[in-house]
């Protein structure tokens, strides 16, 4: 009897997980359309004072899509979507890099630097991630993202056995 109720609970959990993943995939599909529309807007505003704002919105949308894809791709039994997740995450870096190279003094630049470091970290590009996250903390220590950047630096440092660096940033 107890085994049957456990089995029913496990089945219900799997069913709920499947529904959640279907919803996440539908969200990704809709957001991909928004990504295309926003990419067209970025082209329209290229070279104008609104370009950094549009680039940041595009990058944030792509990173949000990547988050949804992560939930789908890294669910039980999924293997094919991992590459798509990583590609979407990587596609968010290009607009951030453009902000940082072309609009370094814009109001969007601090967030762009943080998001690029965070994305590089998630992709396993630890050296550029450390460079960006450390530059972010040095330039913007009072921003709310600074604590997250510090934790990311500490995580990377611990993984690479650089304990003094991890301690110094915390």
């Amino acid at each position: 009897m107890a085994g049957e109720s456990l089995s029913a609970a496990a089945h219900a959990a799997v069913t709920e997980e499947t529904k959640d993943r279907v919803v996440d995939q539908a969200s990704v599909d809709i957001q991909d359309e928004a990504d295309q529309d926003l990419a067209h807007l970025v082209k329209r505003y290229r070279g104008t004072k609104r370009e950094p704002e549009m680039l940041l919105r595009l990058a944030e949308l792509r990173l949000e899509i990547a988050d949804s894809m992560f939930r789908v791709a890294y669910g039980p039994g999924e293997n094919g979507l991992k590459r798509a997740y990583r590609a979407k995450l990587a596609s968010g870096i290009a607009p951030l890099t453009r902000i940082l190279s072309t609009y370094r003094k814009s109001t969007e630049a601090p967030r762009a630097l943080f998001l690029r470091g965070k994305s590089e970290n998630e992709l396993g590009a630890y050296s550029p991630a450390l460079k960006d996250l450390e530059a972010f903390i040095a330039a913007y220590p009072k921003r709310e993202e600074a604590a997250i950047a510090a934790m990311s630096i500490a995580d990377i440092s611990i993984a690479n056995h650089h304990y003094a660096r991890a301690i110094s940033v915390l």
Side-chain angles (χ1 to χ4, degrees):
M1 193 77 155
E4 287 179 24
S5 64
L6 180 60
S7 177
H11 177 70
V14 168
T15 301
E16 187 67 27
E17 172 70 19
T18 301
K19 286 179 189 175
D20 289 347
R21 292 179 59 215
V22 167
V23 169
D24 285 340
Q25 184 60 54
S27 172
V28 166
D29 294 342
I30 291 168
Q31 288 174 318
D32 272 338
E33 291 176 25
D35 180 330
Q36 292 171 7
D37 294 343
L38 196 49
H40 289 298
L41 275 176
V42 167
K43 287 178 185 174
R44 185 184 317 162
Y45 286 103
R46 187 170 181 90
T48 71
K49 66 181 185 176
R50 296 237 14 232
E51 184 183 10
E53 174 190 353
M54 294 292 120
L55 286 166
L56 186 60
R57 287 183 182 190
L58 178 61
E60 287 178 331
L61 176 63
R62 288 180 175 171
L63 299 179
E64 184 179 321
I65 294 168
D67 284 345
S68 293
M69 292 176 86
F70 179 87
R71 289 190 298 274
V72 174
Y74 286 84
E78 287 295 335
N79 290 321
L81 296 173
K82 289 179 176 81
R83 199 169 324 139
Y85 153 72
R86 293 180 59 77
K88 183 57 80 172
L89 184 59
S91 76
I93 293 176
L96 299 170
T97 299
R98 177 146 172 85
I99 291 170
L100 295 169
S101 64
T102 308
Y103 301 101
R104 189 91 180 131
K105 302 233 184 260
S106 70
T107 57
E108 292 80 10
R111 180 126 175 99
L113 183 59
F114 168 73
L115 289 174
R116 187 173 73 175
K118 181 177 176 279
S119 298
E120 291 163 337
N121 184 24
E122 290 177 26
L123 287 168
Y126 301 122
S127 181
L130 280 171
K131 182 180 174 193
D132 283 348
L133 294 169
E134 287 175 338
F136 177 81
I137 289 175
Y140 312 104
K142 302 287 187 205
R143 287 192 55 118
E144 65 182 69
E145 301 100 329
I148 298 168
M151 290 299 297
S152 295
I153 292 168
D155 288 344
I156 295 168
S157 299
I158 290 168
N160 290 304
H161 307 291
H162 297 133
Y163 304 112
R165 180 187 218 172
I167 291 168
S168 72
V169 77
L170 297 175

